[in-house]
Amino acid sequence: VVNFTGGDTWVPSLKCVKRGGTILVCGATAGHDPKEDLRYIWSFELKVIGSNSFYHEDLSALMDMIQAGTLKPVIDKVLPLEQASEGLRMIRDREVMGKIVVTP
């Protein structure tokens, strides 16, 4: 699981990872002080790692995975540039599952 938002998405992220799974934490836009039952981490032998994705080699590896087809980003909506503010609103209001792509 990749969790970019933190906050109220943290506990559902813990609960949906299979035994031995990994949670990659990349941000906390919805809150940085999550409340969770830590037993999920050791009971299901989870790995929790963090990444600020600012390192060139990490971003390059991510792009290589996408190009190779081993990681496919989920695109929820494709919007024209004129509707970019609507796309931001949809993200803010959590109306999308995945990414919004804005085209020129």
Side-chain angles (χ1 to χ4, degrees):
V1 170
V2 179
N3 187 304
F4 285 98
T5 58
D8 60 351
T9 66
W10 178 242
V11 170
S13 293
L14 284 175
K15 290 182 176 181
C16 75
V17 178
K18 70 177 186 173
R19 180 178 301 281
T22 302
I23 298 173
L24 175 64
V25 181
C26 301
T29 57
H32 64 277
D33 189 18
K35 306 293 186 232
E36 73 280 327
D37 185 343
L38 292 176
R39 292 177 292 182
Y40 283 106
I41 294 173
W42 74 74
S43 295
F44 293 98
E45 301 171 346
L46 303 180
K47 296 176 215 74
V48 179
I49 57 175
S51 172
N52 63 18
S53 67
F54 290 127
Y55 297 107
H56 178 73
E57 60 272 11
D58 293 340
L59 189 55
S60 292
L62 178 63
M63 292 295 124
D64 290 344
M65 290 171 69
I66 292 169
Q67 185 175 12
T70 56
L71 179 66
K72 295 184 184 217
V74 176
I75 298 173
D76 189 283
K77 302 267 188 258
V78 177
L79 300 173
L81 182 57
E82 298 79 29
Q83 294 180 14
S85 60
E86 174 64 9
L88 288 172
R89 185 204 60 77
M90 294 170 72
I91 292 169
R92 181 197 67 211
D93 295 343
R94 295 186 179 176
E95 295 178 6
V96 296
M97 181 60 72
K99 300 298 180 186
I100 293 181
V101 175
V102 177
T103 60

XYZ file of all heavy atoms in Angstrom:
802
model
N 0.852 -1.169 0.000
C 0.000 0.000 0.000
C 0.893 1.225 0.000
O 1.870 1.297 0.732
C -0.916 0.012 1.249
C -1.623 1.337 1.389
C -1.905 -1.124 1.193
N 0.541 2.199 -0.841
C 1.223 3.490 -0.835
C 0.254 4.493 -0.227
O -0.864 4.649 -0.708
C 1.625 3.931 -2.263
C 2.309 5.290 -2.228
C 2.533 2.894 -2.914
N 0.670 5.143 0.849
C -0.191 6.096 1.531
C 0.437 7.474 1.434
O 1.483 7.735 2.011
C -0.378 5.691 2.990
C -1.394 6.562 3.687
O -1.258 7.780 3.718
N -2.405 5.940 4.255
N -0.223 8.348 0.684
C 0.264 9.714 0.512
C -0.387 10.699 1.463
O 0.095 11.802 1.612
C -0.009 10.200 -0.923
C 0.910 9.625 -1.944
C 0.514 8.541 -2.712
C 2.163 10.150 -2.142
C 1.362 8.005 -3.657
C 3.018 9.629 -3.085
C 2.613 8.548 -3.850
N -1.509 10.331 2.084
C -2.283 11.332 2.805
C -2.231 11.243 4.317
O -2.433 12.240 4.986
C -3.759 11.283 2.364
O -4.270 9.982 2.607
C -3.911 11.629 0.907
N -1.992 10.072 4.880
C -1.996 9.957 6.336
C -3.387 10.192 6.889
O -4.381 9.849 6.258
N -3.447 10.808 8.054
C -4.740 11.140 8.656
C -5.660 9.944 8.750
O -5.267 8.863 9.190
N -6.898 10.130 8.321
C -7.902 9.069 8.452
C -7.715 7.926 7.460
O -8.438 6.942 7.506
C -9.316 9.641 8.356
C -9.587 10.350 7.042
O -8.642 10.562 6.256
O -10.755 10.701 6.802
N -6.738 8.011 6.576
C -6.474 6.896 5.653
C -5.459 5.910 6.226
O -5.251 4.840 5.665
C -5.949 7.402 4.291
O -4.660 8.006 4.474
C -6.910 8.393 3.659
N -4.836 6.261 7.343
C -3.766 5.434 7.898
C -4.273 4.083 8.401
O -3.744 3.040 8.035
C -3.062 6.208 8.997
C -1.970 5.453 9.668
C -1.915 5.099 10.976
C -0.767 4.959 9.078
N -0.760 4.411 11.236
C -0.031 4.307 10.083
C -0.239 4.983 7.786
C 1.189 3.699 9.855
C 0.984 4.372 7.553
C 1.680 3.746 8.577
N -5.308 4.069 9.236
C -5.809 2.808 9.783
C -6.355 1.901 8.674
O -6.022 0.708 8.642
C -6.853 3.053 10.900
C -7.540 1.754 11.300
C -6.171 3.684 12.109
N -7.161 2.412 7.726
C -7.592 1.530 6.633
C -6.410 0.974 5.834
O -6.464 -0.160 5.357
C -8.477 2.426 5.768
C -8.980 3.476 6.697
C -7.848 3.710 7.671
N -5.335 1.745 5.702
C -4.145 1.240 5.014
C -3.543 0.066 5.770
O -3.167 -0.941 5.179
C -3.093 2.346 4.862
O -3.535 3.350 3.998
N -3.449 0.185 7.096
C -2.931 -0.918 7.905
C -3.798 -2.163 7.762
O -3.293 -3.280 7.656
C -2.889 -0.530 9.385
C -1.790 0.396 9.852
C -1.999 0.743 11.321
C -0.421 -0.206 9.644
N -5.102 -1.972 7.759
C -6.026 -3.105 7.759
C -6.130 -3.822 6.423
O -6.571 -4.972 6.387
C -7.418 -2.640 8.194
C -7.480 -2.273 9.659
C -8.885 -1.872 10.060
C -8.973 -1.593 11.534
N -10.344 -1.236 11.933
N -5.731 -3.191 5.334
C -5.905 -3.851 4.034
C -4.634 -4.514 3.511
O -4.661 -5.168 2.476
C -6.465 -2.869 3.002
S -5.287 -1.671 2.388
N -3.537 -4.393 4.245
C -2.283 -5.005 3.803
C -2.257 -6.464 4.241
O -2.594 -6.799 5.371
C -1.075 -4.245 4.394
C 0.235 -4.887 3.981
C -1.103 -2.805 3.934
N -1.845 -7.333 3.324
C -1.774 -8.756 3.669
C -0.588 -9.015 4.601
O 0.321 -8.187 4.722
C -1.658 -9.612 2.410
C -0.314 -9.490 1.702
C -0.244 -10.403 0.507
C 1.153 -10.357 -0.086
N 1.334 -11.323 -1.140
N -0.602 -10.169 5.234
C 0.490 -10.566 6.129
C 1.820 -10.450 5.390
O 1.967 -10.915 4.275
C 0.288 -11.996 6.605
C 1.396 -12.483 7.545
C 1.157 -13.879 8.052
N -0.093 -14.011 8.790
C -0.263 -13.633 10.067
N 0.727 -13.093 10.731
N -1.420 -13.797 10.657
N 2.769 -9.795 6.020
C 4.089 -9.620 5.427
C 4.150 -8.493 4.409
O 5.187 -8.274 3.787
N 3.056 -7.753 4.238
C 2.996 -6.679 3.255
C 3.754 -5.438 3.698
O 4.268 -5.352 4.809
N 3.795 -4.471 2.803
C 4.541 -3.241 3.037
C 3.635 -2.031 2.854
O 2.834 -1.996 1.920
C 5.728 -3.137 2.057
O 6.564 -4.281 2.216
C 6.548 -1.882 2.294
N 3.787 -1.066 3.721
C 3.127 0.227 3.579
C 4.218 1.257 3.336
O 5.149 1.392 4.134
C 2.331 0.599 4.835
C 1.228 -0.427 5.091
C 1.739 2.003 4.697
C 0.495 -0.233 6.390
N 4.115 1.965 2.222
C 5.044 3.034 1.890
C 4.353 4.351 2.208
O 3.298 4.652 1.657
C 5.429 2.975 0.415
C 6.306 4.113 -0.097
C 7.665 4.103 0.598
C 6.473 4.004 -1.600
N 4.923 5.106 3.117
C 4.349 6.381 3.539
C 5.126 7.495 2.843
O 6.342 7.600 2.997
C 4.431 6.550 5.073
C 3.803 7.854 5.497
C 3.760 5.372 5.765
N 4.394 8.307 2.064
C 5.037 9.349 1.255
C 4.544 10.750 1.589
O 4.892 11.698 0.903
C 4.795 9.089 -0.225
S 5.415 7.520 -0.805
N 3.695 10.892 2.568
C 3.189 12.216 2.908
C 2.129 12.129 3.970
O 1.745 11.048 4.411
N 1.656 13.311 4.369
C 0.646 13.371 5.416
C -0.248 14.594 5.211
O -0.454 15.387 6.112
C 1.316 13.402 6.785
N -0.771 14.735 4.013
C -1.586 15.909 3.708
C -2.887 15.944 4.502
O -3.467 17.006 4.688
C -1.908 15.989 2.208
O -2.570 14.782 1.808
C -0.656 16.184 1.379
N -3.369 14.787 4.964
C -4.618 14.744 5.737
C -4.358 14.669 7.237
O -5.273 14.520 8.021
C -5.475 13.559 5.300
N -3.106 14.772 7.627
C -2.781 14.752 9.054
C -1.539 13.932 9.336
O -1.288 12.921 8.699
N -0.752 14.395 10.277
C 0.521 13.745 10.587
C 0.535 13.081 11.960
O 1.582 12.649 12.429
C 1.654 14.771 10.502
C 1.520 15.870 11.524
N 0.723 16.959 11.306
C 2.056 16.017 12.752
C 0.780 17.754 12.359
N 1.581 17.200 13.262
N -0.606 12.959 12.617
C -0.668 12.371 13.949
C -1.706 11.247 13.968
O -2.744 11.363 14.609
C -1.021 13.455 14.969
C -0.887 12.969 16.401
O -0.217 11.947 16.629
O -1.474 13.609 17.287
N -1.420 10.153 13.248
C -2.438 9.107 13.151
C -2.617 8.350 14.460
O -1.679 8.195 15.234
C -1.884 8.173 12.070
C -0.407 8.329 12.187
C -0.193 9.782 12.560
N -3.822 7.886 14.680
C -4.126 7.025 15.817
C -4.355 5.624 15.255
O -5.185 5.430 14.378
C -5.394 7.490 16.535
C -5.354 8.945 16.945
C -4.308 9.193 18.012
C -4.387 10.619 18.501
N -3.153 11.323 18.486
N -3.596 4.670 15.722
C -3.757 3.316 15.217
C -3.490 2.306 16.321
O -2.901 2.631 17.337
C -2.858 3.041 14.022
C -1.400 2.884 14.341
C -0.666 4.198 14.531
O -0.985 5.189 13.904
O 0.252 4.190 15.352
N -3.922 1.112 16.070
C -3.652 -0.010 16.945
C -2.376 -0.677 16.423
O -2.390 -1.328 15.377
C -4.842 -0.974 16.895
C -4.702 -2.123 17.869
O -3.572 -2.380 18.348
O -5.720 -2.766 18.140
N -1.270 -0.461 17.107
C 0.023 -0.961 16.638
C 0.088 -2.473 16.509
O 0.983 -3.014 15.870
C 1.141 -0.472 17.557
C 1.425 1.023 17.516
C 2.479 1.381 18.552
C 1.876 1.452 16.137
N -0.889 -3.175 17.109
C -0.886 -4.635 17.001
C -0.996 -5.094 15.550
O -0.538 -6.173 15.211
C -2.006 -5.231 17.836
C -1.776 -5.060 19.335
C -2.930 -5.583 20.128
N -4.089 -4.713 19.878
C -5.263 -4.873 20.454
N -5.452 -5.862 21.302
N -6.254 -4.059 20.202
N -1.603 -4.275 14.665
C -1.678 -4.646 13.251
C -0.286 -4.831 12.661
O -0.061 -5.706 11.836
C -2.416 -3.581 12.434
C -3.903 -3.619 12.589
C -4.561 -2.661 13.337
C -4.658 -4.619 11.979
C -5.929 -2.689 13.484
C -6.027 -4.667 12.129
C -6.660 -3.698 12.877
O -8.014 -3.738 13.025
N 0.648 -3.986 13.095
C 1.988 -4.028 12.506
C 2.706 -5.317 12.870
O 3.233 -6.009 12.007
C 2.798 -2.782 12.911
C 2.134 -1.547 12.289
C 4.251 -2.912 12.461
C 2.718 -0.224 12.729
N 2.731 -5.695 14.166
C 3.447 -6.926 14.491
C 2.609 -8.176 14.280
O 3.133 -9.219 13.929
C 4.085 -6.878 15.876
C 3.163 -7.010 17.054
C 2.554 -8.149 17.486
C 2.742 -5.986 17.930
N 1.789 -7.889 18.587
C 1.888 -6.565 18.887
C 3.012 -4.631 18.017
C 1.308 -5.832 19.898
C 2.437 -3.912 19.033
C 1.591 -4.506 19.956
N 1.294 -8.093 14.444
C 0.458 -9.282 14.246
C 0.499 -9.768 12.802
O 0.478 -10.966 12.544
C -0.998 -8.998 14.623
O -1.110 -8.719 15.990
N 0.526 -8.829 11.883
C 0.542 -9.193 10.464
C 1.926 -9.025 9.843
O 2.081 -9.105 8.627
C -0.507 -8.376 9.697
C -1.903 -8.746 10.096
C -2.592 -7.991 11.026
C -2.506 -9.878 9.576
C -3.879 -8.341 11.421
C -3.789 -10.236 9.959
C -4.480 -9.473 10.889
N 2.947 -8.793 10.689
C 4.348 -8.710 10.262
C 4.509 -7.720 9.114
O 5.107 -8.015 8.079
C 4.861 -10.100 9.882
C 4.762 -11.082 11.032
C 5.053 -12.515 10.637
O 5.082 -12.834 9.436
O 5.251 -13.330 11.555
N 3.951 -6.522 9.301
C 3.990 -5.500 8.256
C 5.300 -4.732 8.277
O 5.932 -4.575 9.314
C 2.824 -4.513 8.450
C 1.428 -5.120 8.480
C 0.394 -4.019 8.673
C 1.150 -5.910 7.212
N 5.671 -4.247 7.114
C 6.822 -3.361 6.983
C 6.277 -1.975 6.686
O 5.467 -1.808 5.776
C 7.727 -3.812 5.846
C 8.364 -5.160 6.057
C 9.171 -5.553 4.817
C 9.104 -7.025 4.572
N 7.881 -7.549 4.045
N 6.712 -0.987 7.449
C 6.315 0.396 7.214
C 7.589 1.157 6.873
O 8.527 1.204 7.675
C 5.636 1.019 8.451
C 5.265 2.477 8.180
C 4.407 0.220 8.854
N 7.627 1.716 5.657
C 8.804 2.473 5.242
C 8.355 3.851 4.759
O 7.204 4.049 4.377
C 9.614 1.732 4.143
C 8.747 1.437 2.919
C 10.211 0.459 4.679
C 9.525 0.827 1.770
N 9.252 4.777 4.808
C 8.947 6.137 4.398
C 9.795 6.548 3.208
O 10.900 6.048 3.005
N 9.253 7.455 2.427
C 9.983 7.991 1.285
C 9.515 9.404 1.024
O 8.319 9.682 0.992
C 9.737 7.143 0.040
O 10.303 7.773 -1.098
N 10.453 10.308 0.852
C 10.063 11.658 0.471
C 10.111 11.823 -1.049
O 9.779 12.868 -1.562
C 10.914 12.712 1.172
C 12.372 12.635 0.790
O 12.749 12.049 -0.205
N 13.217 13.235 1.606
N 10.530 10.798 -1.752
C 10.607 10.714 -3.214
C 11.342 11.884 -3.849
O 11.118 12.220 -4.998
C 9.211 10.548 -3.837
O 8.435 11.710 -3.659
N 12.242 12.484 -3.083
C 13.023 13.584 -3.638
C 14.364 13.125 -4.193
O 15.090 13.916 -4.764
C 13.278 14.663 -2.579
C 12.048 15.433 -2.210
C 11.651 15.556 -0.895
C 11.273 16.040 -3.181
C 10.523 16.278 -0.554
C 10.139 16.760 -2.843
C 9.765 16.883 -1.531
N 14.684 11.861 -4.010
C 15.963 11.378 -4.504
C 15.830 10.940 -5.949
O 14.913 10.178 -6.303
C 16.482 10.222 -3.637
C 16.743 10.660 -2.220
C 15.907 10.281 -1.188
C 17.817 11.487 -1.928
C 16.134 10.701 0.115
C 18.056 11.919 -0.638
C 17.212 11.522 0.375
O 17.436 11.944 1.648
N 16.722 11.392 -6.776
C 16.663 11.131 -8.210
C 16.616 9.630 -8.508
O 15.827 9.189 -9.342
C 17.855 11.777 -8.921
C 17.883 11.508 -10.385
N 16.998 12.105 -11.261
C 18.646 10.680 -11.127
C 17.237 11.659 -12.487
N 18.227 10.800 -12.428
N 17.426 8.835 -7.797
C 17.463 7.399 -8.085
C 16.128 6.725 -7.763
O 15.704 5.796 -8.446
C 18.621 6.699 -7.374
C 18.612 6.785 -5.876
C 19.311 8.024 -5.301
O 19.643 8.960 -6.044
O 19.516 8.040 -4.080
N 15.420 7.202 -6.726
C 14.111 6.634 -6.398
C 13.087 6.973 -7.473
O 12.309 6.123 -7.901
C 13.610 7.152 -5.048
C 14.437 6.663 -3.881
O 15.148 5.643 -4.040
O 14.374 7.288 -2.819
N 13.088 8.218 -7.904
C 12.156 8.634 -8.949
C 12.456 7.922 -10.253
O 11.544 7.477 -10.953
C 12.213 10.158 -9.131
C 11.158 10.766 -10.022
C 9.751 10.391 -9.568
C 11.313 12.282 -10.069
N 13.718 7.753 -10.576
C 14.100 7.018 -11.787
C 13.639 5.568 -11.717
O 13.124 5.015 -12.690
C 15.620 7.057 -11.985
O 16.035 8.361 -12.295
N 13.819 4.933 -10.554
C 13.384 3.540 -10.385
C 11.868 3.439 -10.530
O 11.355 2.505 -11.157
C 13.832 3.003 -9.029
N 11.133 4.400 -9.982
C 9.684 4.416 -10.104
C 9.269 4.546 -11.565
O 8.407 3.807 -12.048
C 9.105 5.570 -9.284
C 7.599 5.764 -9.343
C 6.875 4.550 -8.767
C 7.211 7.027 -8.601
N 9.886 5.450 -12.288
C 9.568 5.628 -13.714
C 9.906 4.372 -14.511
O 9.164 3.995 -15.430
C 10.313 6.836 -14.287
C 9.847 8.167 -13.741
S 8.155 8.495 -14.230
C 7.387 8.736 -12.669
N 11.001 3.711 -14.170
C 11.368 2.457 -14.844
C 10.302 1.389 -14.608
O 9.950 0.638 -15.521
C 12.730 1.953 -14.360
C 13.896 2.813 -14.833
O 13.698 3.610 -15.780
O 14.985 2.687 -14.248
N 9.775 1.306 -13.380
C 8.736 0.326 -13.072
C 7.461 0.616 -13.868
O 6.822 -0.305 -14.380
C 8.432 0.326 -11.576
C 9.540 -0.246 -10.725
S 9.262 0.000 -8.952
C 7.877 -1.082 -8.673
N 7.110 1.882 -13.982
C 5.921 2.247 -14.751
C 6.125 1.911 -16.220
O 5.253 1.319 -16.869
C 5.582 3.741 -14.561
C 5.120 3.978 -13.113
C 4.519 4.199 -15.556
C 5.002 5.437 -12.740
N 7.297 2.250 -16.757
C 7.585 1.961 -18.163
C 7.593 0.462 -18.440
O 7.105 0.005 -19.473
C 8.926 2.574 -18.565
C 9.233 2.411 -20.046
C 10.517 3.135 -20.444
O 11.296 3.569 -19.597
N 10.730 3.268 -21.728
N 8.093 -0.330 -17.501
C 8.154 -1.785 -17.677
C 6.793 -2.445 -17.488
O 6.623 -3.626 -17.798
C 9.168 -2.385 -16.706
N 5.833 -1.694 -16.949
C 4.503 -2.250 -16.733
C 4.357 -3.012 -15.432
O 3.336 -3.641 -15.202
N 5.371 -2.964 -14.553
C 5.263 -3.660 -13.272
C 4.521 -2.823 -12.243
O 4.089 -3.342 -11.228
C 6.649 -4.036 -12.715
O 7.443 -2.847 -12.603
C 7.358 -5.013 -13.630
N 4.376 -1.554 -12.507
C 3.600 -0.662 -11.645
C 2.744 0.201 -12.552
O 3.261 0.890 -13.428
C 4.529 0.220 -10.802
C 3.854 1.213 -9.872
C 3.085 0.475 -8.778
C 4.879 2.134 -9.243
N 1.456 0.111 -12.378
C 0.544 0.863 -13.231
C -0.223 1.876 -12.384
O -1.006 1.491 -11.521
C -0.424 -0.070 -13.934
C 0.282 -1.001 -14.889
C -0.681 -1.847 -15.661
C 0.143 -2.802 -16.506
N -0.386 -3.054 -17.775
N -0.005 3.172 -12.638
C -0.752 4.174 -11.876
C -2.237 4.091 -12.206
O -2.621 3.823 -13.345
C -0.149 5.504 -12.327
C 0.566 5.214 -13.598
C 0.904 3.758 -13.606
N -3.060 4.294 -11.209
C -4.509 4.278 -11.397
C -4.939 5.692 -11.778
O -4.731 6.636 -11.015
C -5.231 3.828 -10.119
C -6.739 3.910 -10.294
C -4.795 2.420 -9.739
N -5.506 5.830 -12.970
C -5.983 7.132 -13.439
C -7.495 7.130 -13.345
O -8.172 6.332 -13.985
C -5.508 7.408 -14.877
C -3.983 7.448 -14.907
C -6.121 8.722 -15.394
C -3.389 7.542 -16.287
N -8.020 8.024 -12.511
C -9.461 8.116 -12.292
C -10.119 9.004 -13.338
O -11.163 8.659 -13.872
C -9.732 8.665 -10.892
C -11.194 8.593 -10.517
O -11.969 9.447 -11.003
O -11.570 7.704 -9.747
N -9.517 10.155 -13.612
C -10.102 11.116 -14.540
C -9.014 11.738 -15.396
O -7.890 11.924 -14.944
C -10.794 12.258 -13.798
C -11.889 11.856 -12.858
C -13.236 11.895 -13.547
C -14.348 11.684 -12.547
N -14.924 10.390 -12.524
N -9.386 12.078 -16.628
C -8.544 12.888 -17.507
C -9.355 14.135 -17.811
O -10.458 14.049 -18.347
C -8.177 12.137 -18.805
C -7.364 13.032 -19.723
C -7.413 10.856 -18.483
N -8.811 15.289 -17.434
C -9.527 16.547 -17.589
C -8.735 17.521 -18.453
O -7.499 17.533 -18.399
C -9.766 17.199 -16.217
C -10.572 16.406 -15.196
C -10.563 17.120 -13.857
C -11.994 16.219 -15.691
N -9.419 18.371 -19.204
C -8.712 19.418 -19.944
C -8.187 20.481 -18.967
O -8.709 20.628 -17.856
C -9.787 19.999 -20.869
C -11.075 19.689 -20.208
C -10.854 18.399 -19.451
N -7.187 21.214 -19.385
C -6.558 22.227 -18.541
C -7.581 23.192 -17.950
O -7.464 23.598 -16.801
C -5.513 22.997 -19.355
C -4.717 24.066 -18.622
C -3.985 23.478 -17.423
C -3.738 24.731 -19.574
N -8.597 23.519 -18.710
C -9.622 24.459 -18.238
C -10.357 23.943 -16.996
O -10.975 24.721 -16.274
C -10.656 24.749 -19.338
C -10.089 25.408 -20.576
C -9.373 24.417 -21.502
O -9.735 23.217 -21.533
O -8.431 24.846 -22.179
N -10.320 22.635 -16.745
C -11.014 22.049 -15.597
C -10.048 21.622 -14.490
O -10.410 20.876 -13.584
C -11.845 20.854 -16.045
C -12.987 21.227 -16.961
C -13.785 20.001 -17.380
O -13.665 18.924 -16.813
N -14.615 20.185 -18.389
N -8.825 22.143 -14.536
C -7.818 21.764 -13.536
C -8.283 22.103 -12.122
O -8.074 21.312 -11.186
C -6.487 22.440 -13.830
N -8.928 23.247 -11.943
C -9.396 23.607 -10.595
C -10.460 22.626 -10.108
O -10.528 22.307 -8.913
C -9.927 25.041 -10.559
O -11.010 25.197 -11.442
N -11.280 22.129 -11.020
C -12.275 21.110 -10.651
C -11.571 19.822 -10.222
O -11.980 19.150 -9.277
C -13.226 20.846 -11.817
C -14.207 19.719 -11.586
C -15.201 19.950 -10.446
O -15.270 21.056 -9.896
O -15.905 18.992 -10.093
N -10.499 19.476 -10.901
C -9.721 18.298 -10.515
C -9.140 18.440 -9.122
O -9.175 17.495 -8.325
N -8.626 19.616 -8.798
C -8.103 19.854 -7.452
C -9.210 19.757 -6.412
O -9.011 19.216 -5.322
C -7.428 21.218 -7.381
C -6.098 21.335 -8.113
C -5.630 22.777 -8.141
C -5.059 20.437 -7.476
N -10.387 20.266 -6.745
C -11.511 20.169 -5.823
C -11.876 18.712 -5.579
O -12.131 18.291 -4.455
C -12.727 20.926 -6.364
C -13.884 20.937 -5.342
C -15.235 21.143 -5.998
N -15.601 20.139 -6.974
C -16.043 18.888 -6.686
N -16.130 18.474 -5.451
N -16.379 18.048 -7.660
N -11.889 17.923 -6.650
C -12.235 16.504 -6.529
C -11.238 15.766 -5.639
O -11.619 14.910 -4.840
C -12.312 15.868 -7.912
C -13.451 16.420 -8.750
S -13.366 15.885 -10.464
C -13.830 14.176 -10.286
N -9.960 16.110 -5.768
C -8.939 15.504 -4.910
C -9.168 15.935 -3.463
O -9.180 15.109 -2.548
C -7.523 15.893 -5.378
C -7.228 15.249 -6.739
C -6.474 15.484 -4.339
C -5.972 15.770 -7.400
N -9.373 17.224 -3.258
C -9.601 17.746 -1.902
C -10.795 17.073 -1.233
O -10.744 16.708 -0.061
C -9.822 19.253 -1.963
C -10.033 19.876 -0.572
C -10.644 21.247 -0.644
N -12.018 21.121 -1.143
C -12.633 22.037 -1.867
N -12.030 23.146 -2.201
N -13.879 21.847 -2.279
N -11.858 16.876 -1.996
C -13.088 16.300 -1.450
C -13.113 14.780 -1.515
O -14.132 14.159 -1.240
C -14.305 16.880 -2.180
C -14.475 18.365 -1.936
O -13.867 18.892 -0.974
O -15.205 19.017 -2.707
N -11.987 14.199 -1.908
C -11.821 12.743 -1.966
C -12.887 12.065 -2.830
O -13.494 11.078 -2.442
C -11.796 12.145 -0.572
C -10.603 12.611 0.215
C -10.512 11.911 1.507
N -9.327 12.388 2.224
C -9.026 12.011 3.418
N -9.765 11.147 4.043
N -7.952 12.484 4.003
N -13.102 12.629 -4.003
C -14.074 12.073 -4.936
C -13.418 11.198 -5.999
O -14.093 10.733 -6.905
C -14.847 13.208 -5.620
C -15.703 14.006 -4.671
C -16.416 15.154 -5.351
O -16.346 15.268 -6.601
O -17.057 15.940 -4.639
N -12.120 10.990 -5.904
C -11.422 10.195 -6.899
C -10.693 9.043 -6.228
O -10.328 9.111 -5.062
C -10.404 11.043 -7.716
C -11.113 12.098 -8.522
C -9.363 11.675 -6.823
N -10.499 7.983 -6.969
C -9.702 6.859 -6.517
C -8.588 6.711 -7.553
O -8.782 6.143 -8.606
C -10.539 5.582 -6.450
C -9.771 4.382 -5.972
S -9.085 4.544 -4.322
C -10.557 4.442 -3.334
N -7.465 7.300 -7.265
C -6.365 7.297 -8.220
C -5.952 8.711 -8.549
O -6.193 9.638 -7.782
N -5.388 8.882 -9.717
C -4.841 10.170 -10.130
C -5.783 10.874 -11.091
O -6.587 10.258 -11.785
C -3.483 9.975 -10.811
C -2.447 9.324 -9.932
C -2.154 10.181 -8.741
C -1.114 9.544 -7.849
N -0.901 10.274 -6.631
N -5.623 12.175 -11.147
C -6.284 12.990 -12.153
C -5.188 13.499 -13.079
O -4.203 14.070 -12.623
C -7.053 14.163 -11.536
C -8.240 13.632 -10.727
C -7.534 15.127 -12.617
C -9.080 14.692 -10.082
N -5.378 13.292 -14.374
C -4.429 13.764 -15.376
C -5.035 14.987 -16.040
O -6.189 14.960 -16.463
C -4.145 12.663 -16.436
C -3.238 13.216 -17.533
C -3.524 11.453 -15.769
N -4.245 16.054 -16.124
C -4.692 17.282 -16.777
C -3.970 17.385 -18.108
O -2.744 17.293 -18.157
C -4.402 18.521 -15.891
C -4.806 19.793 -16.614
C -5.149 18.397 -14.568
N -4.760 17.548 -19.180
C -4.174 17.634 -20.518
C -4.248 19.073 -21.033
O -5.185 19.796 -20.705
C -4.902 16.703 -21.502
O -6.266 17.082 -21.566
C -4.780 15.255 -21.082
N -3.263 19.485 -21.842
C -3.288 20.858 -22.376
C -4.416 21.060 -23.377
O -4.971 20.178 -23.933
C -1.940 21.007 -23.057
C -1.314 19.663 -23.110
C -2.119 18.742 -22.264
